[in-house]
């Protein structure tokens, strides 16, 4: 049994804290949301999804110093809050403890993957782990059979991830490619926007399957540049997450894309969503990287042009079809 310090009390955070606690570990949740903590302490229900009964043995705190005796820290905050939380952990003298990431996205200002941000702050990746995959919180809450990847360069930490999260309906596959897992969870948002654009234009499953399949090839090209392995893109944290996000109107990024496809401007679509759309920032960073390394990534460039240059979404989808053909590798060419 491990003593776990858990950062964050959002939808995914509380789902994960509950899973770890039901697996028999001691869980102490740290959060800056006093009202959420009060409700969880009192009713063992999260105010935003009260239908989900949270394990009553979880403890709560607003003081990070209370983590001094924990064996491992697990984080689940927004991509924006990620660096500030890492910094606070370091300042609190907790920076040497095993640290498991479960957030997805990139840092807006630097364009860095979250694992690269953690590496910046803590000065190494050896004590880091990453748990990610096709895991919609509301389906995990309902115990739908789900699987994810537990990645670390340190096998003990990868096995610790398995021990913390794995249950009858939640399987963990071990990997040592922590960068690949971090990339998958970030880049899938770009492809989800493209798929949403196709949906908004009224196109069906054929077009979305095209975008997801070709999007996977683009992910692999970026993986090479980022020092991640292409095979990781073929797994749950890559194509798995691409499918769930690129096919689902439960995804914010997909919905944002659909609004763009329906003819709304970037600002109008964002105003309608009212929440951070991670893919908007990820695509800017991918675009920069792609141009720097002369990558053929037509879907990512197309999404960038729609969002930042106001290009016609229909033209972009048409170009993806043509340019994707040129850069296609595993798909036989038309003859
Ligand atoms: N919701 C899902 O289905 C799901 C599934 C897999 C992964 N994720 C990823 O998990 C992460 C969190 O998702 P969520 O759905 O729980 O989000 P959420 O918006 O419900 O909760 C985010 C949490 O981050 C905390 N936070 C933000 N900035 C902070 C800061 N500076 N200091 C301390 N805490 C801070 C908030 O207080 C809140 O508890 C995201 O990166 C998301 O992409 C979500």
């Amino acid at each position: 049994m491990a003593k776990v310090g858990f950062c964050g009390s959002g939808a995914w955070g509380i789902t994960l804290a509950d899973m770890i606690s039901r697996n028999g570990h001691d869980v102490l949740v740290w959060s800056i949301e006093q009202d959420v903590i009060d409700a969880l302490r009192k009713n063992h229900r999260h105010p935003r999804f009260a239908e989900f009964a949270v394990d009553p043995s979880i403890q709560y705190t607003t003081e990070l110093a209370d983590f001094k005796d924990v064996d491992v820290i697990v984080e689940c905050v927004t991509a924006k809050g990620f660096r500030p939380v890492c910094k606070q952990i370091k300042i609190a003298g907790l920076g040497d403890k095993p640290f498991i990431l479960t957030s997805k996205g990139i840092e807006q200002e630097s364009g860095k993957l979250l694992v690269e941000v953690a590496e910046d702050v803590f000065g190494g990746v050896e004590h880091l782990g990453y748990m990610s995959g096709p895991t919609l919180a509301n389906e995990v809450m309902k115990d739908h059979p789900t699987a994810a990847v537990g990645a670390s360069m340190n096998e003990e930490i990868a096995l610790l991830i398995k021990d913390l999260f794995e249950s009858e309906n939640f399987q963990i596959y071990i990997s040592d490619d922590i960068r690949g897992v971090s990339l998958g969870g970030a880049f899938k948002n770009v492809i989800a926007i493209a798929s949403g654009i196709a949906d908004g234009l009224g196109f069906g499953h054929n077009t979305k399957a095209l975008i997801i399949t070709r999007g996977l090839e683009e992910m692999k090209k970026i993986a090479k540049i980022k020092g991640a392995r292409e095979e990781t893109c073929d797994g749950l944290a890559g194509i798995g997450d691409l499918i769930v996000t690129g096919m689902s109107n439960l995804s914010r990024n997909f919905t944002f894309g659909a609004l763009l496809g329906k003819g709304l401007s970037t600002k109008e679509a964002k105003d309608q969503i009212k929440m951070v759309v991670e893919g908007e920032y990820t695509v800017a960073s991918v675009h920069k990287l792609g141009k720097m390394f002369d990558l053929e990534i037509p879907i990512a460039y197309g999404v960038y042009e729609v969002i930042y240059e106001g290009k016609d979404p229909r033209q972009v989808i048409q170009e993806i079809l043509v340019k994707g053909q040129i850069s296609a590798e595993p798909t036989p060419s038309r003859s």
Side-chain angles (χ1 to χ4, degrees):
M1 188 187 75
K3 280 190 178 175
V4 181
F6 196 100
C7 304
S9 58
W12 189 223
I14 289 302
T15 308
L16 293 178
D18 179 76
M19 283 164 67
I20 300 170
S21 181
R22 288 186 197 278
N23 276 345
H25 302 285
D26 268 353
V27 180
L28 176 59
V29 171
W30 167 78
S31 173
I32 55 171
E33 300 171 297
Q34 184 70 58
D35 52 332
V36 172
I37 283 195
D38 289 344
L40 281 161
R41 274 198 189 117
K42 195 167 158 221
N43 314 317
H44 312 299
R45 306 262 168 180
H46 192 293
R48 274 198 285 132
F49 38 95
E51 65 287 356
F52 178 63
V54 180
D55 193 336
S57 50
I58 298 177
Q59 303 292 308
Y60 300 92
T61 183
T62 51
E63 299 295 331
L64 208 46
D66 291 340
F67 278 5
K68 63 179 182 310
D69 295 327
V70 303
D71 304 311
V72 49
I73 298 177
V74 182
E75 74 70 40
C76 187
V77 298
T78 55
K80 192 167 193 284
F82 183 76
R83 186 184 288 269
V85 167
C86 289
K87 277 188 180 167
Q88 285 184 66
I89 288 170
K90 177 123 192 252
I91 291 165
L94 305 163
D96 292 336
K97 294 193 188 271
F99 184 69
I100 317 286
L101 293 81
T102 70
S103 302
K104 292 175 182 173
I106 58 146
E107 186 174 50
Q108 281 178 31
E109 301 74 18
S110 68
K112 288 187 176 183
L113 296 174
L114 296 186
V115 72
E116 294 173 323
V117 174
E119 195 175 356
D120 265 6
V121 176
F122 298 119
V125 289
E126 294 72 22
H127 73 304
L128 303 180
Y130 215 124
M131 199 279 287
S132 183
T135 56
L136 295 173
N138 60 342
E139 294 185 9
V140 174
M141 281 178 201
K142 292 178 198 148
D143 245 357
H144 290 194
T146 301
V149 180
S152 177
M153 286 167 73
N154 175 340
E155 198 187 353
E156 265 179 44
I157 292 184
L159 292 171
L160 173 62
I161 296 175
K162 203 171 170 64
D163 186 43
L164 293 178
F165 295 102
E166 196 161 80
S167 64
E168 200 184 355
N169 285 317
F170 198 91
Q171 208 66 33
I172 295 288
Y173 290 72
I174 298 296
S175 160
D176 61 3
D177 185 14
I178 192 166
R179 286 176 208 284
V181 168
S182 193
L183 169 69
F187 186 67
K188 54 117 190 199
N189 289 327
V190 174
I191 303 305
I193 295 177
S195 186
I197 289 175
D199 194 79
L201 284 164
F203 298 137
H205 296 100
N206 297 356
T207 318
K208 281 175 262 184
L210 154 75
I211 288 169
I212 290 170
T213 312
R214 299 307 310 157
L216 176 64
E217 294 309 310
E218 298 193 10
M219 187 191 277
K220 288 181 181 180
K221 288 178 183 169
I222 299 158
K224 264 192 194 165
I225 306 289
K226 284 284 190 187
R229 285 207 304 274
E230 288 183 35
E231 310 92 85
T232 306
C233 304
D234 288 327
L236 289 160
I239 184 68
D241 214 354
L242 268 182
I243 293 171
V244 87
T245 322
M247 282 288 187
S248 165
N249 55 10
L250 288 175
S251 155
R252 235 181 259 180
N253 291 277
F254 181 94
T255 308
F256 173 67
L259 294 172
L260 296 174
K262 285 187 179 127
L264 272 71
S265 68
T266 301
K267 185 180 178 310
E268 288 165 345
K270 277 169 68 173
D271 286 350
Q272 201 153 317
I273 302 256
K274 293 193 183 84
M275 288 180 287
V276 176
V277 180
E278 291 284 353
E280 181 192 357
Y281 307 105
T282 310
V283 79
S285 146
V286 166
H287 181 265
K288 209 161 134 192
L289 199 71
K291 294 290 173 189
M292 197 187 294
F293 289 91
D294 201 20
L295 300 181
E296 271 187 52
I297 45 173
I299 302 177
Y301 292 152
V303 170
Y304 179 87
E305 286 161 1
V306 173
I307 294 178
Y308 291 98
E309 296 171 358
K311 194 162 172 176
D312 175 27
R314 188 172 294 274
Q315 191 188 340
V316 162
I317 296 292
Q318 211 56 46
E319 285 178 6
I320 285 171
L321 201 62
V322 176
K323 291 182 188 165
Q325 257 279 314
I326 298 164
S327 66
E329 284 151 28
T331 320
S333 58
R334 271 192 305 224
S335 56

